[in-house]
């Protein structure tokens, strides 16, 4: 074993020489230069020799032995930066083995992100307005200054199953009262049953590429296949802030890829509208169902540029919804183009995108545009565009900016939102 390896490992662990550390190895005499460090590393459980009371200090280590020692040292609280600098090449080559050993040493991991958001609204709704025959005050409804923190706790149950929980804190920095909420808002398991992949619990549900629903739901989902994948799910949507308030949701989807073209088809049913409540209005009459089917396609011109199109259609008609408009669309489409994208691990990487929306009533239940206040256009549908970009300022530090300009399909009233955020991942 190299002298530098023993000393570096000992320093990384904060190990110092001690005449009182017992040395279990018969081939390391008391006068050896590494005696004290080896004794301390052995006592800490980082090194264990060859099982025959010998240390084998003159033998060449295999890469696997190196990985074992480094992983054990990390699990004991070693300074990872020092180890990475000393053994950069070896760690690069042994990344998978080290990761696997670390997983066994520590079964629970905590990751997360903290995000600062700023948004501003202009257009017809930024001042008092009359909508659908009703006079209303100026609309805010976007995060002027918000700080959001999310912590993810992941526990490995076995080789096939894992558990994840999410703790979230939101702080409204624009409110003098300092409104703050902290809640444990997601918990789910992922696993395998034979050839089926399973997700069960309260977690994110993405439907119609996010244009139908992109929010939390309580559900069980099953998927099967790789190149051609079948997905089915059943559960309960938990959002009521978008003025479509349903008791249950279920659906089936099929997706596949051939060459540069990826295609997906979905059929989703939001069942048993609960109608208006004290928490929100609702534009779907009580007891009605909203059945939506969609088809989408994405073509990758190369590794940087992608063009996507999604068509959506709802079964709602004029008699199913509460609205003052005489004629409403219940279908629509979204066209998207994207270039590259910021990689949080690569400083200076960036991306840009543009979307054009023409969506009718019922095709939106919880849209991926989180900054938008959907009670404005829930009764008539909307059309318009969004452009955005992101940039990696430093490793795990990404800046994002979006601009939305949308208008009601019947009223013609416009809403404009500029939204930006800085997110740190850890």
């Amino acid at each position: 074993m190299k002298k530098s390896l023993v000393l570096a490992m000992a320093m990384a662990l904060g190990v110092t020489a001690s005449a009182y550390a017992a040395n279990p190895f018969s081939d390391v005499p008391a006068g050896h230069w590494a005696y004290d460090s080896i004794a301390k590393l052995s006592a800490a459980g980082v090194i264990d020799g060859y099982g025959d009371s010998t240390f084998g200090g003159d033998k060449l280590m295999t890469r696997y032995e190196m990985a074992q020692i480094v992983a054990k040292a990390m699990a004991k609280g070693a300074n990872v930066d020092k180890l990475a600098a000393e053994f950069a090449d070896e760690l690069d080559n042994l990344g998978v083995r080290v990761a696997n050993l670390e997983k066994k040493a520590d079964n629970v991991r905590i990751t997360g992100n903290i995000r600062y958001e700023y948004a501003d609204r202009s257009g017809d709704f930024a001042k008092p307005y009359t909508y659908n025959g009703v006079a209303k005050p100026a609309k805010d409804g976007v995060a002027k200054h918000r700080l959001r923190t999310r912590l993810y706790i992941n526990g490995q149950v076995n080789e096939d199953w894992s558990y994840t929980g999410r703790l979230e804190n939101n702080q409204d920095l624009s409110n003098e009262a300092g409104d703050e909420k902290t809640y444990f808002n997601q918990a789910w398991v992922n696993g395998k049953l034979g050839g089926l992949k399973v997700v069960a619990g309260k977690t994110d549900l993405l439907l119609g590429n996010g244009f139908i629903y992109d929010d939390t739901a309580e559900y069980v989902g099953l998927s099967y296949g790789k190149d051609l994948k079948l997905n089915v799910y059943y559960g309960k949507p938990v959002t009521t802030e978008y003025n479509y308030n349903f008791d249950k949701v279920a659906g089936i989807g099929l997706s596949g890829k051939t060459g540069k073209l990826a295609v997906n088809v979905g059929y989703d049913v939001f069942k048993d509208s609960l109608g208006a409540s004290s928490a929100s209005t609702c534009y779907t009459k009580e007891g009605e169902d909203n059945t939506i089917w969609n088809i989408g396609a994405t073509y990758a011109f190369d590794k940087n540029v992608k063009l996507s199109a999604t068509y959506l259609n709802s079964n709602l008609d004029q008699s199913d919804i509460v609205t003052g408009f005489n004629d409403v669309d219940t279908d629509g489409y979204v066209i998207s183009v994207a270039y590259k994208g910021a990689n949080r691990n690569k400083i200076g990487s960036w991306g840009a995108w543009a979307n054009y929306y023409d969506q009718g009533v019922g095709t939106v239940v919880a849209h991926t545009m989180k900054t938008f206040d959907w009670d404005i256009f829930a009764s008539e549908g909307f059309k318009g565009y969004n452009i955005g970009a992101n940039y990696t300022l430093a490793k795990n530090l990404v800046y994002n900016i979006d601009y939305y300009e949308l208008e009601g399909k019947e009223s013609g009233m416009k809403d404009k939102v500029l939204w930006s955020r800085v997110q740190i991942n850890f």
Side-chain angles (χ1 to χ4, degrees):
M1 177 176 282
K2 291 183 179 180
K3 180 175 181 178
S4 59
L5 187 147
V6 175
L7 294 179
M9 196 74 69
M11 287 187 293
L13 281 167
V15 172
T16 56
S18 172
Y20 301 103
N23 178 16
F25 305 117
S26 60
D27 58 343
V28 183
H32 195 277
W33 61 264
Y35 181 93
D36 294 324
S37 294
I38 290 174
K40 261 302 185 66
L41 289 170
S42 175
V46 176
I47 57 177
D48 51 17
Y50 285 90
D52 60 355
S53 77
T54 64
F55 179 63
D58 294 328
K59 293 182 178 180
L60 291 176
M61 281 198 308
T62 66
R63 292 184 181 276
Y64 184 69
E65 289 168 334
M66 171 69 180
Q68 284 182 311
I69 292 173
V70 172
K72 288 178 181 179
M74 289 178 176
K76 296 291 182 180
N79 186 317
V80 179
D81 292 337
K82 290 181 180 179
L83 286 171
E86 179 71 19
F87 310 115
D89 294 337
E90 290 89 342
L91 288 174
D92 284 341
N93 292 329
L94 294 168
V96 174
R97 286 181 177 176
V98 170
N100 289 337
L101 287 166
E102 283 183 288
K103 185 186 295 184
K104 293 177 182 178
D106 187 356
N107 198 43
V108 177
R109 296 176 64 245
I110 297 178
T111 59
N113 58 67
I114 182 169
R115 172 191 294 183
Y116 168 75
E117 298 176 339
Y118 172 80
D120 196 19
R121 166 170 274 142
S122 59
D124 295 327
F125 301 99
K127 54 186 181 294
Y129 63 97
T130 298
Y131 185 76
N132 212 357
V134 179
K136 296 187 176 184
K139 176 70 69 175
D140 186 6
V142 292
K144 282 285 187 181
H145 296 280
R146 184 176 75 154
L147 193 64
R148 190 196 75 184
T149 301
R150 285 177 172 174
L151 295 178
Y152 295 88
I153 303 112
N154 179 269
Q156 197 68 28
V157 179
N158 55 42
E159 291 183 356
D160 294 327
W161 286 84
S162 65
Y163 164 87
T164 305
R166 187 177 81 181
L167 181 68
E168 181 171 322
N169 172 267
N170 284 284
Q171 301 181 43
D172 184 355
L173 304 181
S174 63
N175 190 321
E176 292 182 0
D179 288 350
E180 180 180 354
K181 293 181 180 179
T182 301
Y183 38 90
F184 195 77
N185 59 358
Q186 289 191 0
W188 73 96
V189 293
N190 285 94
K192 297 179 182 178
L193 290 175
L196 291 175
K197 292 184 179 179
V198 182
V199 57
K202 188 175 181 181
T203 185
D204 296 322
L205 179 64
L206 186 74
L207 304 176
N209 297 319
F211 306 130
I212 296 174
Y213 192 95
D214 181 7
D215 212 316
T216 300
E218 300 170 357
Y219 69 99
V220 175
L222 305 175
S223 63
Y224 180 82
K226 186 177 180 181
D227 295 329
L228 183 64
K229 182 181 291 185
L230 176 68
N231 299 284
V232 296
Y233 70 94
Y234 176 82
K236 178 182 178 64
V238 299
T239 181
T240 58
E241 61 182 307
Y242 298 94
N243 299 286
Y244 290 100
N245 189 7
F246 295 95
D247 184 52
K248 299 179 182 68
V249 62
I252 184 170
L254 187 66
S255 60
K257 184 178 181 181
T258 174
K260 296 183 177 182
L261 180 66
V263 179
N264 61 276
V265 179
Y267 181 83
D268 307 287
V269 181
F270 291 84
K271 293 184 65 64
D272 302 330
S273 173
L274 301 176
S277 68
S278 59
S280 70
T281 57
C282 182
Y283 288 99
T284 308
K285 293 179 180 178
E286 187 172 353
E288 294 293 339
D289 297 341
N290 183 9
T291 300
I292 310 167
W293 71 270
N294 70 90
I295 181 170
T298 298
Y299 186 81
F301 292 94
D302 53 36
K303 65 179 182 179
N304 294 324
V305 181
K306 294 181 179 179
L307 177 66
S308 303
T310 302
Y311 174 78
L312 312 107
N313 184 286
S314 169
N315 74 319
L316 295 179
D317 59 32
Q318 198 71 43
S319 65
D320 299 322
I321 58 178
V322 180
T323 175
F325 298 107
N326 295 321
D327 186 26
V328 294
D329 289 334
T330 56
D331 65 353
Y333 62 90
V334 181
I335 297 174
S336 308
V337 61
Y339 177 74
K340 288 187 176 181
N343 181 341
R344 72 183 195 185
N345 293 312
K346 187 176 180 181
I347 300 173
S349 63
W350 64 281
W353 57 87
N355 299 291
Y356 180 78
Y357 309 94
D358 188 331
Q359 291 191 241
V361 171
T363 65
V364 178
V365 178
H367 205 283
T368 193
M369 290 190 287
K370 300 297 185 187
T371 59
F372 210 66
D373 199 336
W374 288 105
D375 68 349
I376 294 176
F377 296 141
S379 62
E380 60 170 320
F382 67 97
K383 59 184 177 181
Y385 69 91
N386 151 242
I387 55 175
N390 55 14
Y391 183 85
T392 302
L393 301 169
K395 188 174 181 179
N396 290 320
L397 177 62
V398 179
Y399 175 74
N400 189 106
I401 187 167
D402 274 284
Y403 176 74
Y404 301 91
E405 186 168 324
L406 307 177
E407 68 177 67
K409 296 183 75 170
E410 298 295 323
S411 67
M413 297 184 71
K414 291 187 177 181
D415 197 26
K416 304 175 183 179
V417 174
L418 178 66
W419 179 62
S420 63
R421 76 172 187 237
V422 176
Q423 179 163 309
I424 300 171
N425 297 283
F426 53 87

